[in-house]
Structure formats: structure tokens, C-alpha cells
């Protein structure tokens, strides 16, 4: 069945007709054309598809779009403001936190959820917050360093 | 565009009564709580349903409260909220540690206690894509004729891999179940049976609504072995509650997961008494756990290793609870 859902995506209000069985990843990629939401494992295991739902990081590939009715969704596309990278985007760029870049949108969204709750996390907290995100390139050291740098750079 | 999942009707009941009624609307209706297990299995083509009953709006199942009667955990409480609860952190360490050991933070933000207790059993030959299983002629648990793990047997040996059940069991948890015939309460171990294809004793259209735990002074812990340090099911997990008797005897309640088709609350061991030799005692405890479990070839990691690992974990954890 289709139903109308009302979602705020990256600050903009949308009303869309969505099938009950449509996954949030497909809504974001196919209807909203936000292809920064990456499809990695497509089964809840890798975190590449991580977005924020009401400020909490969630794998969008195992989330139904229709059950997010009334929620605010944030993706990597909403992070830069007026052409300026977010502190995390800048830190990943400057600290080699991204190599191939496929895991990066999910990493940044998971880290964003962390920094909003815990602006000055220690390494253990960073590791725990990124525990659901896999990276096949970096070995994680640069990613953790990037999150640390973003925390230090944020006012 | 095409959707990844077959079509179904989504119902969003607001109360437990409505949820039970919603389940009765179709023989294939299924509950969805956080969906972190169910949706993955739906995507693998392992679940056929016409109606999905989302529990997200049933506010009454999200209550988490501690009082003189102990701890009341609504089945809809998320693992994140459970782990962050002060009452749980203060008195029920094993429950907190088990909740934190489940999947990743993004899962735990929505994954529920009820969903974790009712987690589908797992097997190397089952948690695969449709084409993978089809190429292998399926198996007993789903559409097939034989079990690839124990081909001479007639029973599915898929393993129950929920982290929370053993941690709740060592505190003597009781669960409340609502169904078409009203409400009943059972001890948590009675929710399960040793059958990988049918491991829950819930009747049709029944819902777990809450978990009750009596107040406890026991020291407790949960430990698991897994292949990766995060986002991974237990190859084996063990929870222990340790209570001090008089004058310094210690009694242990031990429960395990990952080794059988259901979590097990073990019988024994006899309490550790004052004059006992600790090494001999923990050695015997190790042997007792080894004997009680029956891991099968359901993971890439060998069954014998899992037997040894769960016993070693149990002996180590018990010793830590005495020494620590
Ligand atoms: C990558 C990954 C890693 C994971 N790692 C772990 C792990 O380490 N340990 C672990 O334990 N789990 C793990 N899981 C599985 C899952 O995330 C958790 O078990 C979670 O707690 C399931 O809860 P849920 O609310 O999402 O359940 P759902 O997926 O919503 O439901 C699971 C099952 O329970 C039934 N159900 C739900 N609520 C009720 C109820 N109140 N009454 C009766 N039946 C109910 C559903 O119908 C369904 O059959 C992992 C999952 C993924 C994708
Ligand atoms: S234990 Fe056997 S029947 Fe059960 S899922 Fe595995 S292969 Fe299939
Ligand atoms: S694509 Fe969603 S977790 Fe991997
Ligand atoms: S940078 Fe390539 S997967 Fe992480």
C-alpha cells in the first residue's frame, strides 16, 4: 500500500507517496536523489548507508521509509552549509580520513551523531560510535584521528 | 522504481490489544519492532508475510521502571535505553553489558528487548541470499529436505544468538505475554525450546509485552566471543550472576547463548565454599559448561572451539566475579 509521509530531509519539508515496503535508503536515493547515501552490504552490516533520523544514526537499508513519517532525516548532502564543509567533512578531508570514500558519508553521519551528544569524545567513545561502520581502506586510524580533529576544531 | 521487498500491508496499532487484533487479521502476519533482525531476513527472502504489524506506536511497551518489586522492562524498550538506564547499570551489570554487546550503535538505537529475545536462530546455510540457498537446495529450516549441518538428523540445529536472554535468565526473569486468550506469565527459559526451526513457545498471535526481574544484590557480568570486535553475533556468550552466601560461600547462576538452538540456564554448579581450592573449582565449572552445551557446525568457526570457548569464558568470568 502507498501512504503519504511527511519528512524533513536536510531541513526541507517533503510530502511523498511511499510504498509501505519501501526502505529509507531507496526513498533517499531514488526519490530524493541523495546518492551520497551509499549502498554497501544492503543488509545492515556495514554502515555505509547511515543517516540521521531525528538526530540518531541509523542504517537506512534496514529502516522502512513509511515508519519515519514525521521525522527529520539528515544525510551527507545536508552537512555543508553555504558552500562550507562541516567540521567533520573538513577534518576527514584534511586528515586523510577518506581513501576510496565509499564508507565516508556513513562514517561522517555516525560521527556527527556522536559529536552532537558528546562534543569532546575520547578515542573509546569514537570507536564505540563508529562500531557499526566498516571501512575497507583506511585501517580506521585516520578516521578516528579525523573525528578527534573535528571535535577539537568545533567551537 | 522497484522495491527491494515484496508488497505487504503495514499496520500500526497503538495498544497491545490492537496489536493482538492486528496479528489476527492474517495467518502470515508478523510483528516488527526495531526491524533490525526481521528486515534483514525479509531481504534474504526468508520471511513471507502479507501483513506487518509495527510495534513502534505501542507506547505501553516502552516503559522501563525500577521500584521495590524490581525491574520492569517493556518489550519495546530499546537496547540503547536499556544500557543507559541508571537502575540497570547499578544493579544488573550483565544486562547492561549484554545490551551493549549487540550489533552496532545504529542498531541499538532502535533494536528492542522483545526483538532480541525473539531473534531468529542463525546458521551458515540459512543467513544467505535466496540464490545462495537455492543453489544449495535450501535446507530443513526453509523449504528444503535435509539439514546441511547434521544431514542424518531430522531437526534443524540453527543457533540462537541473542545476547540479552542469558543476562536476563541469570536474574530469574519472567516474561509477560499477551494474546487472544489474555495475559500469561512464564519464566524466561520456558519461552524457548531446542529446535532451530521453531525455537519459541509463543502461540499464534502472542506478543511479549514486558520482562520482570526481582531486586538483586548479585554481582554479574556478560562475556561473548565473536569474530569481529563489533557488529557481530556471539559465537558463544555467557552471563553469570554471583551471590554471596554465608559466611563467604558463593553461588553462581550461569546461562549461555550461541551454542544451542535456544539460550540455556544451566543447572549448578554447587556453591564455592570457604575451604574449596579455587583452581579445582573453576576447572570443574569449565567442565560443567562444556558438558551442558552442544554447538553444531552452524558457523565458520568450529563447533569444538565454541564449546571450549564458552566454557573458558564462563570459568574466567566466574573467577573475576569472585576476585573483583
Ligand atoms: C549487522 C547486525 C549485527 C547484529 N549483531 C547482533 C548481536 O551481536 N547480538 C544480538 O543479539 N543480535 C544482533 N543482531 C540482531 C538484532 O539487531 C538484535 O537481536 C535486535 O535486538 C533485534 O531486535 P529488533 O527490535 O530489531 O527485532 P525485530 O527485527 O523487529 O524482530 C525480531 C523478531 O522478533 C519478533 N518480535 C519482535 N518484538 C516482539 C515481541 N514484543 N513479541 C513477540 N515477538 C516479537 C519479530 O516478529 C521478529 O521475528 C544483529 C543484527 C545485524 C543486522
Ligand atoms: S541447522 Fe540445518 S536445517 Fe537448520 S538452518 Fe542450518 S542447515 Fe538448515
Ligand atoms: S548498506 Fe546499510 S548497513 Fe550496509
Ligand atoms: S575509505 Fe574506502 S571504505 Fe573507507
Amino acid at each position: 500500500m502507498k501512504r503519504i509521509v511527511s519528512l524533513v530531509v536536510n531541513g526541507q519539508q517533503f510530502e511523498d507517496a511511499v510504498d509501505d515496503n519501501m526502505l529509507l535508503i531507496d526513498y533517499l536515493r531514488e526519490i530524493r536523489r541523495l546518492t551520497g547515501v551509499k549502498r554497501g552490504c544492503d543488509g545492515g552490516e556495514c554502515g555505509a548507508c547511515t543517516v540521521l533520523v531525528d538526530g540518531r544514526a541509523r542504517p537506512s537499508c534496514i529502516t522502512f521509509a513509511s515508519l519515519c513519517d514525521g521525522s527529520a532525516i539528515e544525510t551527507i548532502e545536508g552537512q555543508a552549509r553555504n558552500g562550507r564543509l562541516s567540521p567533520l567533512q573538513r577534518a576527514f578531508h584534511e586528515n586523510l580520513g577518506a581513501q576510496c570514500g565509499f564508507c565516508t558519508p556513513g562514517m561522517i553521519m555516525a560521527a556527527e551523531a556522536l559529536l552532537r551528544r558528546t562534543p569532546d569524545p575520547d578515542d573509546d567513545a569514537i570507536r564505540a560510535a563508529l562500531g557499526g561502520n566498516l571501512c575497507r581502506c583506511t585501517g580506521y586510524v585516520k578516521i578516528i584521528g579525523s573525528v578527534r580533529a573535528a571535535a577539537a576544531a568545533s567551537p | 522504481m522497484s522495491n527491494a521487498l515484496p508488497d505487504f500491508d503495514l499496520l500500526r496499532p497503538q495498544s497491545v490489544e490492537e496489536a493482538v487484533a492486528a496479528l489476527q487479521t492474517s495467518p502470515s502476519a508478523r510483528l516488527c519492532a526495531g526491524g533490525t533482525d526481521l528486515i534483514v531476513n525479509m531481504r534474504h527472502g526468508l520471511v513471507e508475510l502479507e501483513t506487518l504489524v509495527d510495534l513502534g506506536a505501542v507506547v505501553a511497551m516502552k516503559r522501563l521502571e525500577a521500584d521495590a518489586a524490581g525491574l520492569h522492562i517493556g518489550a519495546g524498550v530499546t537496547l540503547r535505553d536499556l544500557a543507559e538506564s541508571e537502575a540497570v547499570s547499578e544493579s544488573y551489570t550483565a544486562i547492561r553489558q549484554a545490551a551493549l554487546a549487540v550489533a552496532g550503535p545504529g542498531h541499538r538505537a532502535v533494536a528492542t528487548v522483545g526483538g532480541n529475545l525473539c531473534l531468529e536462530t542463525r546458521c551458515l546455510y540459512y543467513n544467505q541470499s535466496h540464490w545462495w540457498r537455492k543453489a544449495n537446495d535450501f535446507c530443513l529450516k526453509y523449504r528444503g529436505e535435509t539439514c546441511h549441518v547434521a544431514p542424518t538428523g531430522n531437526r534443524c540445529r540453527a543457533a540462537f544468538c541473542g545476547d540479552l536472554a542469558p543476562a536476563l535468565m541469570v536474574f530469574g526473569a519472567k516474561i509477560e505475554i499477551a494474546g487472544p486468550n489474555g495475559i500469561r506469565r512464564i519464566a524466561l527459559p520456558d519461552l524457548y525450546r531446542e529446535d532451530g526451526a521453531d525455537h519459541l513457545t509463543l502461540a499464534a498471535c502472542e506478543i511479549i509485552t514486558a520482562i520482570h526481574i526481582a531486586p538483586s544484590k548479585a554481582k554479574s557480568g556478560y562475556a561473548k566471543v565473536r569474530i569481529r570486535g563489533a557488529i557481530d553475533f556471539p559465537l558463544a556468550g555467557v552471563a553469570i550472576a554471583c551471590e554471596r552466601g554465608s559466611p563467604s560461600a558463593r553461588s553462581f547462576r550461569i546461562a549461555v547463548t550461541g551454542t544451542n538452538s535456544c539460550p540455556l540456564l544451566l543447572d549448578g554448579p554447587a556453591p564455592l565454599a570457604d575451604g574449596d581450592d579455587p583452581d579445582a573449582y573453576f576447572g570443574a565449572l569449565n567442565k560443567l559448561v562444556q558438558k551442558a552445551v552442544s554447538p553444531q557446525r552452524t558457523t565458520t568457526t568450529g563447533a569444538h572451539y565454541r564449546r571450549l570457548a564458552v566454557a573458558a569464558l564462563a570459568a574466567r568470568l566466574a573467577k573475576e566475579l569472585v576476585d573483583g
Side-chain angles (χ1 to χ4, degrees):
Chain A
M1 209 177 86
K2 264 197 201 313
R3 66 184 75 208
I4 305 285
V5 297
S6 141
L7 295 166
V8 177
V9 182
N10 294 331
Q12 215 184 325
Q13 175 86 43
F14 294 97
E15 309 247 319
D16 284 304
V18 164
D19 283 320
D20 280 345
N21 60 355
M22 177 173 257
L23 294 158
L24 184 59
I25 189 173
D26 294 322
Y27 169 77
L28 292 170
R29 287 181 58 90
E30 310 289 336
I31 296 186
R32 297 269 60 86
R33 298 286 172 192
L34 297 170
T35 52
V37 183
K38 293 300 173 211
R39 195 190 296 280
C41 65
D42 219 6
E45 299 201 22
C46 74
C49 64
T50 302
V51 300
L52 304 191
V53 180
D54 294 328
R56 293 188 166 191
R58 303 242 314 244
S60 59
C61 71
I62 51 169
T63 302
F64 287 118
S66 56
L67 293 182
C68 297
D69 191 14
S71 297
I73 315 285
E74 292 167 79
T75 72
I76 192 70
E77 286 87 346
Q79 295 303 292
R81 294 279 151 81
N82 307 320
R84 285 176 62 88
L85 297 181
S86 75
L88 274 163
Q89 287 175 309
R90 176 161 298 283
F92 270 68
H93 177 62
E94 289 175 351
N95 295 276
L96 304 178
Q99 284 186 22
C100 81
F102 196 81
C103 71
T104 314
M107 287 285 180
I108 289 184
M109 297 318 291
E112 177 69 26
L114 168 70
L115 294 187
R116 284 189 201 170
R117 281 184 105 202
T118 315
D120 190 19
D122 60 20
D123 280 8
D124 282 347
I126 298 174
R127 277 175 215 277
L130 299 182
N133 295 72
L134 300 184
C135 174
R136 298 290 80 168
C137 302
T138 63
Y140 302 102
V141 173
K142 299 282 186 195
I143 289 178
I144 292 164
S146 301
V147 179
R148 219 188 292 123
S154 300
Chain B
M1 64 155 289
S2 66
N3 283 319
L5 294 168
D7 204 10
F8 52 76
D9 281 332
L10 181 70
L11 303 179
R12 298 207 78 191
Q14 312 270 318
S15 67
V16 171
E17 297 71 32
E18 281 178 30
V20 172
L23 282 176
Q24 291 172 288
T25 58
S26 148
S28 69
R30 280 289 285 271
L31 292 172
C32 180
T36 60
D37 182 48
L38 185 74
I39 300 176
V40 176
N41 286 340
M42 286 170 78
R43 303 210 62 175
H44 280 164
L46 290 165
V47 186
E48 282 156 19
L49 54 83
E50 280 162 21
T51 303
L52 191 66
V53 180
D54 170 56
L55 288 172
V58 184
V59 180
M61 281 171 58
K62 298 185 182 183
R63 196 158 64 87
L64 175 55
E65 256 169 24
D67 57 24
L71 195 60
H72 168 103
I73 309 170
V77 169
T78 64
L79 299 183
R80 169 168 154 155
D81 289 347
L82 186 68
E84 288 180 357
S85 139
E86 247 172 62
V88 172
S89 301
E90 259 167 35
S91 310
Y92 306 96
T93 309
I95 296 177
R96 177 171 182 275
Q97 290 175 339
L100 283 176
V102 173
H107 305 90
R108 294 195 294 272
V110 289
T112 65
V113 173
N116 195 267
L117 293 180
C118 298
L119 188 65
E120 189 52 89
T121 54
R122 301 183 62 81
C123 173
L124 193 55
Y125 297 94
Y126 179 73
N127 300 102
Q128 301 286 355
S129 63
H130 182 85
W131 63 260
W132 192 103
R133 284 176 289 116
K134 188 168 176 223
N136 215 18
D137 275 343
F138 298 106
C139 74
L140 268 188
K141 186 165 162 67
Y142 183 84
R143 282 201 197 169
E145 315 260 284
T146 45
C147 168
H148 306 300
V149 165
T152 51
N154 56 4
R155 173 162 78 70
C156 167
R157 308 294 185 123
F160 178 82
C161 299
D163 283 302
L164 215 48
L168 294 170
M169 279 179 179
V170 296
F171 290 108
K174 296 203 165 40
I175 57 170
E176 194 174 284
I177 298 170
N181 300 321
I183 291 174
R184 62 189 181 106
R185 270 192 182 201
I186 58 172
L188 181 53
D190 296 335
L191 173 64
Y192 301 102
R193 62 166 82 93
E194 181 76 71
D195 179 349
D198 189 16
H199 69 301
L200 297 177
T201 59
L202 290 177
C205 306
E206 281 192 326
I207 301 174
I208 299 179
T209 53
I211 294 91
H212 295 281
I213 297 174
S216 170
K217 290 210 162 36
K219 277 170 77 177
S220 67
Y222 178 74
K224 79 194 252 194
V225 273
R226 47 182 165 184
I227 294 173
R228 300 185 296 218
I231 17 172
D232 217 353
F233 290 90
L235 292 169
V238 57
I240 303 185
C242 169
E243 224 146 358
R244 186 183 269 265
S246 59
S248 65
R250 312 292 173 104
S251 63
F252 298 96
R253 271 193 314 278
I254 305 176
V256 298
T257 187
T259 59
N260 288 59
S261 293
C262 59
L264 303 175
L265 180 63
L266 306 190
D267 282 334
L272 168 65
D274 227 357
D276 285 347
D277 168 16
D279 287 343
Y281 182 84
F282 292 116
L285 189 149
N286 179 315
K287 289 283 176 317
L288 178 138
V289 176
Q290 282 195 44
K291 259 184 113 169
V293 300
S294 46
Q296 305 288 321
R297 291 183 304 112
T298 52
T299 66
T300 48
T301 308
H304 187 57
Y305 167 81
R306 282 158 59 220
R307 184 190 297 277
L308 297 183
V310 71
L313 274 186
R316 190 164 71 197
L317 181 57
K319 191 165 181 309
E320 280 169 13
L321 291 173
V322 171
D323 295 344

